[in-house]
Amino acid sequence: FMIQKEAAIVGDDLDISTASDASGLLPGHLGLRLDEIFLPLMAVHDTAERLDKIIPFGHVKSYDGMLHLRFWPDMIWLNGLPSHISNHAVDISHGMAHFSLRGVEALHFIAHYTTADVFDASISKAQAIRTNINHYPCVIWWENTRDVHLVTDRSLAQSFADHLRTLAVRHDPLDPSTLPRPIHPDAPDRRG
């Protein structure tokens, strides 16, 4: 009984807001910064017709400062619960890890390792996709090519962060197949 009580006390003190040690510059030449940031996520299920009125399939939008992600016909993810959603919402924050990847070549770097073409016209317009980065399933969205958000399963978070570190080290800026896209001369310093 005493051991169980001690375990319960230790468990209460654990900070479970992050699932990885991602916090800082990635190694390599690109000057990318990877951070895990807690993002409260709610899943709301409804018919495709009703969700189409809120946000189109395959898009990310911000309404009144609230993020709306829709990559499933009958479900959207929200980072809160707005008043226009009347359905039951389920908190899925505990099962997801949100990463922020910043730097001048952030989206171009990710584009080399996804199973989809993030620069395809329809995907570029939506600025979001649900795809794989190598063998890691994730949801990706971006405000611009320098600020990329990635969400993956929490159970994969540390492995995913380690994988991105490895890719950054192996990413050879002199290899023509991995050269960053041309950057405007007035772009900020590469260390994002």
Side-chain angles (χ1 to χ4, degrees):
F1 178 78
M2 189 61 153
I3 293 172
Q4 290 175 348
K5 186 176 179 182
E6 287 176 15
I9 292 170
V10 171
D12 292 341
D13 292 337
L14 292 177
D15 177 16
I16 59 167
S17 63
T18 60
S20 74
D21 62 1
S23 60
L25 290 172
L26 291 179
H29 305 285
L30 295 177
L32 298 173
R33 181 177 176 91
L34 181 70
D35 294 295
E36 184 184 351
I37 303 167
F38 180 72
L39 178 68
L41 281 174
M42 306 292 283
V44 176
H45 291 271
D46 209 331
T47 64
E49 295 78 26
R50 290 171 111 178
L51 294 180
D52 285 342
K53 293 176 184 174
I54 298 171
I55 183 173
F57 181 76
H59 283 73
V60 59
K61 298 284 182 198
S62 183
Y63 298 116
D64 298 327
M66 189 168 301
L67 186 68
H68 292 61
L69 296 156
R70 182 162 177 226
F71 296 102
W72 303 267
D74 62 345
M75 180 175 60
I76 58 174
W77 285 358
L78 308 166
N79 70 331
L81 194 57
S83 59
H84 68 274
I85 302 289
S86 59
N87 289 32
H88 180 69
V90 177
D91 187 350
I92 60 169
S93 305
H94 63 282
M96 300 290 152
H98 168 233
F99 292 93
S100 169
L101 182 67
R102 294 188 316 259
V104 172
E105 288 95 12
L107 187 60
H108 303 296
F109 170 73
I110 290 298
H112 288 292
Y113 304 106
T114 60
T115 56
D117 180 5
V118 299
F119 295 107
D120 177 76
S122 62
I123 297 170
S124 288
K125 184 178 179 183
Q127 293 185 299
I129 190 165
R130 185 176 134 211
T131 186
N132 285 352
I133 293 180
N134 290 336
H135 61 283
Y136 293 93
C138 57
V139 171
I140 305 170
W141 74 94
W142 55 95
E143 295 118 32
N144 55 59
T145 60
R146 294 179 174 101
D147 296 298
V148 180
H149 299 272
L150 307 113
V151 173
T152 191
D153 292 333
R154 186 178 186 85
S155 61
L156 301 174
Q158 185 61 57
S159 177
F160 182 70
D162 292 343
H163 185 66
L164 289 179
R165 280 188 197 99
T166 301
L167 293 177
V169 168
R170 291 158 81 200
H171 193 85
D172 181 1
L174 300 177
D175 179 351
S177 69
T178 61
L179 275 176
R181 308 295 199 285
I183 297 169
H184 190 277
D186 296 330
D189 185 277
R190 293 169 61 93
R191 299 197 84 71

Coordinates of all heavy atoms in Angstrom, one line a residue, residues 12 21 27 42 45 59 73 100 128 133 140 145 149 151 162 169 176 187:
D12 N 1.5 12.6 -9.6 CA 0.8 13.9 -9.6 C 1.8 15.1 -9.9 O 1.4 16.1 -10.4 CB 0.2 14.2 -8.2 CG -1.0 13.3 -8.0 OD1 -1.5 12.7 -9.0 OD2 -1.4 13.1 -6.8
D21 N 12.1 16.4 -26.2 CA 13.1 17.4 -25.7 C 13.4 18.4 -26.8 O 14.4 19.1 -26.8 CB 14.4 16.7 -25.2 CG 15.1 16.0 -26.3 OD1 14.6 16.0 -27.5 OD2 16.2 15.4 -26.0
P27 N 20.8 20.7 -35.5 CA 22.2 20.7 -36.1 C 22.1 20.8 -37.6 O 21.1 20.7 -38.2 CB 22.7 19.4 -35.6 CG 21.5 18.5 -35.4 CD 20.4 19.4 -35.0
M42 N -9.2 20.1 -29.6 CA -10.5 19.5 -29.5 C -10.9 18.9 -30.8 O -10.7 19.5 -31.8 CB -11.6 20.5 -29.0 CG -11.2 21.3 -27.8 SD -11.2 20.4 -26.3 CE -12.9 20.2 -26.0
H45 N -16.9 16.0 -34.2 CA -17.5 15.2 -35.3 C -18.8 15.7 -35.7 O -19.6 16.1 -34.8 CB -17.6 13.7 -34.8 CG -16.3 13.1 -34.6 ND1 -15.7 12.4 -35.6 CD2 -15.6 12.9 -33.5 CE1 -14.5 11.9 -35.1 NE2 -14.5 12.2 -33.8
H59 N -8.3 22.1 -45.3 CA -7.9 23.5 -45.0 C -7.6 23.7 -43.6 O -8.1 23.0 -42.7 CB -8.9 24.5 -45.5 CG -9.0 24.7 -47.0 ND1 -9.4 23.7 -47.9 CD2 -8.6 25.7 -47.7 CE1 -9.3 24.2 -49.1 NE2 -8.8 25.4 -49.0
P73 N -13.3 13.9 -43.4 CA -14.6 14.4 -43.9 C -15.6 14.7 -42.8 O -16.4 15.6 -42.9 CB -15.1 13.2 -44.7 CG -13.9 12.4 -45.1 CD -12.9 12.7 -44.0
S100 N 6.8 23.3 -33.7 CA 7.0 24.5 -34.5 C 8.4 24.4 -35.1 O 9.4 24.2 -34.4 CB 6.9 25.7 -33.6 OG 7.3 26.8 -34.3
A128 N -1.8 23.7 -45.9 CA -2.0 22.7 -45.0 C -2.1 21.3 -45.7 O -2.6 21.3 -46.8 CB -3.2 22.9 -44.1
I133 N 5.9 12.3 -43.0 CA 7.3 12.7 -43.2 C 8.1 11.5 -43.0 O 8.1 10.9 -41.9 CB 7.7 13.8 -42.1 CG1 6.9 15.1 -42.4 CG2 9.2 14.0 -42.2 CD1 7.2 16.2 -41.5
I140 N 0.4 19.0 -41.2 CA 1.3 20.1 -41.4 C 0.5 21.3 -41.8 O -0.3 21.2 -42.7 CB 2.4 19.8 -42.4 CG1 3.1 18.5 -42.1 CG2 3.4 20.9 -42.6 CD1 4.0 18.0 -43.2
T145 N 6.6 30.2 -45.5 CA 7.6 29.2 -45.6 C 8.6 29.1 -44.5 O 9.3 28.2 -44.4 CB 8.3 29.3 -47.0 OG1 9.0 30.6 -47.0 CG2 7.4 29.2 -48.1
H149 N 4.1 24.3 -38.8 CA 3.6 23.6 -37.6 C 3.3 22.1 -38.0 O 2.8 21.9 -39.1 CB 2.2 24.2 -37.2 CG 2.4 25.6 -36.8 ND1 2.7 26.0 -35.5 CD2 2.3 26.8 -37.5 CE1 2.8 27.3 -35.5 NE2 2.5 27.8 -36.7
V151 N 1.9 18.4 -36.4 CA 1.3 17.6 -35.3 C 1.4 16.2 -35.6 O 1.0 15.7 -36.7 CB -0.2 18.0 -35.1 CG1 -0.9 17.2 -34.1 CG2 -0.3 19.5 -34.7
D162 N 13.8 13.4 -32.9 CA 15.1 12.8 -33.2 C 15.3 12.6 -34.7 O 16.4 12.9 -35.3 CB 15.3 11.5 -32.5 CG 15.4 11.6 -31.0 OD1 15.6 12.8 -30.5 OD2 15.2 10.6 -30.3
V169 N 20.9 17.0 -40.0 CA 22.4 16.8 -40.1 C 22.7 16.2 -41.5 O 23.7 16.6 -42.1 CB 22.8 15.8 -39.0 CG1 24.2 15.3 -39.2 CG2 22.7 16.4 -37.6
P176 N 22.7 19.3 -55.1 CA 21.7 20.0 -55.9 C 20.3 19.5 -55.6 O 19.3 20.3 -55.8 CB 22.1 19.7 -57.3 CG 23.5 19.1 -57.3 CD 23.7 18.6 -55.9
A187 N 15.9 38.7 -47.2 CA 15.4 37.7 -46.2 C 16.2 37.9 -44.9 O 17.4 38.2 -44.9 CB 15.5 36.3 -46.7

